Each structure stands twice: as C-alpha cells, then as structure tokens.
Amino acid sequence: MLDKQVCKNIKMVLLDVDGVMTDGSIFINHDGEFFKSFNVKDGLAIELLRSHHILVGVISGKASAALDTRCQQLGFDEIITGCKNKLPALVNILLQI
C-alpha cells in the first residue's frame, strides 16, 4: 500500500514502456506483425497511484495500437507514443501540471 505522507507531494508518475511495462520481449507472427507482452500487475500499481490522486502517463519512443489500447485500459492521463525526443514532451507535461 502506498504511504499517504510519501504520496502527498507526488503529482504524476511518467513511465517508459519497453523494459518498464514490458519485459522487453517482442513477438512476431508469420505476417510480420509484432506483439508485446504487458504485465497485468502494472494495472494494480496504476490503480493504486490513481487512488491517491496521482496522475499517470507514458512517453514511449515506439507507437502501436497495442500500446495505445493498454494505456487506455489502464486509464493513463497522458499518452505520448512515437516520441523520439522525450525531453520536450516531458517539459511540456511539467508545464501543464
């Protein structure tokens, strides 16, 4: 469980995807389509953060329909995908919160 005292100054948690929300594996089918494996436990962590009124977002260098779907399922407040230069995106988010 998250400690309310620790969380009171946290406004947002931003995540990368590959190696953070996934184990880094990519599965490719016979048509060349690729798939990522997401850990279901991330959903609980996101839910806990949101229950403490902490915003949650993702900035990913890659873009995919699977990633967009997973982020929407988890109720992310900020979803930025296909972002090769993450620093300007981060600065923009920081200016908004």
Side-chain angles (χ1 to χ4, degrees):
M1 189 60 83
L2 294 174
D3 183 300
K4 288 184 181 185
Q5 194 64 16
V6 171
C7 294
K8 76 177 189 175
N9 293 321
I10 300 172
K11 294 181 181 178
M12 179 177 232
V13 172
L14 284 171
L15 306 168
D16 188 14
V17 175
D18 294 326
V20 177
M21 294 177 58
T22 73
D23 65 2
S25 298
I26 296 177
F27 303 95
I28 303 172
N29 72 9
H30 65 280
D31 293 324
E33 295 177 302
F34 71 92
F35 304 89
K36 295 179 183 190
S37 176
F38 294 93
N39 191 324
V40 72
K41 294 176 186 175
D42 290 333
L44 176 59
I46 300 305
E47 196 174 302
L48 283 170
L49 290 167
R50 294 176 59 78
S51 74
H52 288 282
H53 308 289
I54 297 173
L55 300 171
V56 183
V58 65
I59 303 176
S60 177
K62 303 232 169 73
S64 71
L67 174 56
D68 290 339
T69 298
R70 185 63 178 148
C71 290
Q72 290 169 0
Q73 287 174 338
L74 294 175
F76 278 26
D77 300 289
E78 192 72 50
I79 303 169
I80 300 173
T81 60
C83 182
K84 300 303 178 197
N85 187 354
K86 297 177 186 177
L87 184 58
L90 173 61
V91 169
N92 187 43
I93 290 169
L94 291 174
L95 292 172
Q96 294 178 34
I97 59 171

